[in-house]
Amino acid sequence: RKEVEQDPGPFNVPEGATVAFNCTYSNSASQSFFWYRQDCRKEPKLLMSVYSSGNEDGRFTAQLNRASQYISLLIRDSKLSDSATYLCVVRVLTGGGNKLTFGTGTQLKVEL
Amino acid sequence: DGGITQSPKYLFRKEGQNVTLSCEQNLNHDAMYWYRQDPGQGLRLIYYSQIVNDFQKGDIAEGYSVSREKKESFPLTVTSAQKNPTAFYLCASSIVTGNMNTEAFFGQGTRLTVV
């Protein structure tokens, strides 16, 4: 089983739609969680951290379910500019330091 | 301006040659990471380092080597033992504190093509 798993998509949605992505992780000792956004041929950039109580940033809502070992990202009122790949990231403290593992990413295409 | 710099942006090498990718950061971050990304794929961890003169193998370390002689520098060498070296290589760094929710910042990446 992969350490971090995501549905690769693509998710094709109309502008204004609400879309949700899920991500599961296998290591129960995982300590912190993030969503990154990656545009085509660019480096990933932090979209938001994911906190235990859930958190919201404008149209974006992230949630964590430790019992089931998954995190989610909800995007409301999708914009054309939201088209990108969304990467789920998990940090685990190992004997050698902080290991940051990425999922394969979920591709989102927002259309007119 | 503080940031993380990878050079060069594009690199071409002949098969069988070793090549070293540069990664420098002036963010005073303790942790540094190297990832590889293939087309349509996610990022796979090659090596990571939390302190100077110490580093750990990631998930796909075979055929790669690193050094961490200075806090700000974490060069990656792609050796001839790496069977499929053509890929997009990304370097990242982050601070290390008691607060685990600290983001990693990425360089702009190096596209390596081996012919």
Side-chain angles (χ1 to χ4, degrees), chain A residues 22-112:
Chain A
N22 285 331
C23 167
T24 58
Y25 59 95
S26 60
N27 190 337
S28 59
S30 298
Q31 295 176 293
S32 53
F33 310 89
F34 309 88
W35 283 102
Y36 275 71
R37 169 189 170 133
Q38 186 176 27
D39 293 292
C40 188
R41 301 179 71 82
K42 298 282 191 180
E43 74 275 20
K45 292 186 178 178
L46 180 71
L47 178 66
M48 58 197 305
S49 300
V50 186
Y51 299 108
S52 296
S53 55
N55 48 299
E56 188 174 305
D57 183 2
R59 298 181 292 110
F60 300 86
T61 300
Q63 291 193 314
L64 167 65
N65 185 320
R66 285 192 182 271
S68 301
Q69 294 183 201
Y70 78 82
I71 67 174
S72 65
L73 176 68
L74 183 77
I75 305 175
R76 291 181 298 278
D77 188 23
S78 300
K79 310 292 185 191
L80 293 175
S81 57
D82 293 333
S83 297
T85 296
Y86 291 84
L87 299 160
C88 169
V89 185
V90 173
R91 189 192 300 273
V92 176
L93 183 59
T94 70
N98 293 297
K99 184 182 179 186
L100 208 57
T101 302
F102 283 71
T104 54
T106 298
Q107 189 179 11
L108 172 65
K109 296 181 180 179
V110 181
E111 303 164 331
L112 287 171

